[in-house]
Amino acid sequence: MPEGHAGEGFFATKLSDVVGLARKNSLWPLPFATSCCGIEFMATMASHYDLGRFGAERLGFSPRQCDLLMVIGTIAKKMGPIVKQVYLQMAEPRWVMAVGACASSGGIFDSYSVLQGIDQIIPVDVYVPGCPPRPEGILDGFMRIQDLVAGESVRRRSSEKYKELMQSYGIK
Ligand code: SF4
């Protein structure tokens, strides 16, 4: 429950907190999985770890319906514009997780063809370390996203600071 004032028969809190509570427990992930980390994500969705317990049962493969982009695996420079296009097609509010060393920093592939971290093209909210990260690590990253979502003001996306962040990526 969010913080607030409770009495007999009533509970009052901030609108932001109620919206955050609903959003954090109904995230729709869009898994953009390209390589070996994707296998760990499959385990994360399966019955033993079961991401559905966190309200994220429904994976979406249409960017227009999802609000959490999970980039999982190596992203080649050629693929960068596609990742960005998917991000741009998602409606606000949207969050981004870089899952594994490759998505976070290029990982072991310090080469001419691999993007050295997806934060070179889109803003990232949570980085999950590991090559590959274990499902527990992915779940932990997901819970960090939930913390961000729950604590986010409903006005953040229209703030000057957020617009500046978007402009720094060439996004209007
Ligand atoms: S971080 Fe490691 S396991 Fe994950 S995609 Fe890169 S090389 Fe594969």
Side-chain angles (χ1 to χ4, degrees):
M1 283 289 280
E3 287 183 11
H5 301 285
E8 201 175 326
F10 81 93
F11 176 74
T13 186
K14 287 186 293 181
L15 175 64
S16 264
D17 288 356
V18 175
V19 171
L21 183 70
R23 282 178 177 167
K24 83 172 242 201
N25 292 302
S26 59
L27 285 165
W28 282 19
L30 189 162
F32 195 104
T34 60
S35 46
C36 17
C37 276
I39 308 298
E40 297 297 319
F41 180 71
M42 290 177 206
T44 310
M45 288 307 298
S47 54
H48 189 76
Y49 293 100
D50 192 11
L51 190 64
R53 293 176 293 145
F54 300 85
E57 186 76 46
R58 198 270 185 199
L59 298 184
F61 296 92
S62 162
R64 291 176 184 84
Q65 295 171 345
C66 294
D67 51 8
L68 173 61
L69 176 60
M70 298 175 81
V71 181
I72 306 164
T74 322
I75 301 296
K77 282 182 182 163
K78 273 188 178 176
M79 211 184 290
I82 311 297
V83 175
K84 188 163 185 171
Q85 188 178 10
V86 168
Y87 176 78
L88 291 175
Q89 287 179 346
M90 292 169 70
E92 293 279 19
R94 58 197 164 184
W95 294 270
V96 177
M97 247 172 104
V99 179
C102 283
S104 301
S105 66
I108 57 172
F109 303 107
D110 186 8
S111 80
Y112 72 95
S113 61
V114 173
L115 195 65
Q116 299 299 293
I118 58 163
D119 56 5
Q120 295 188 356
I121 50 168
I122 54 174
V124 174
D125 295 287
V126 167
Y127 299 84
V128 178
C131 176
R134 282 192 49 84
E136 290 92 337
I138 299 177
L139 289 179
D140 188 58
F142 185 84
M143 287 192 284
R144 299 288 76 76
I145 288 279
Q146 285 189 309
D147 292 342
L148 290 176
V149 172
E152 182 174 314
S153 160
V154 287
R155 295 204 175 93
R156 177 185 174 227
R157 305 281 162 165
S158 50
S159 70
E160 284 305 316
K161 202 171 168 190
Y162 187 73
K163 284 178 192 160
E164 280 169 24
L165 174 68
M166 288 296 118
Q167 276 166 7
S168 69
Y169 284 92
I171 301 169
K172 290 179 187 167

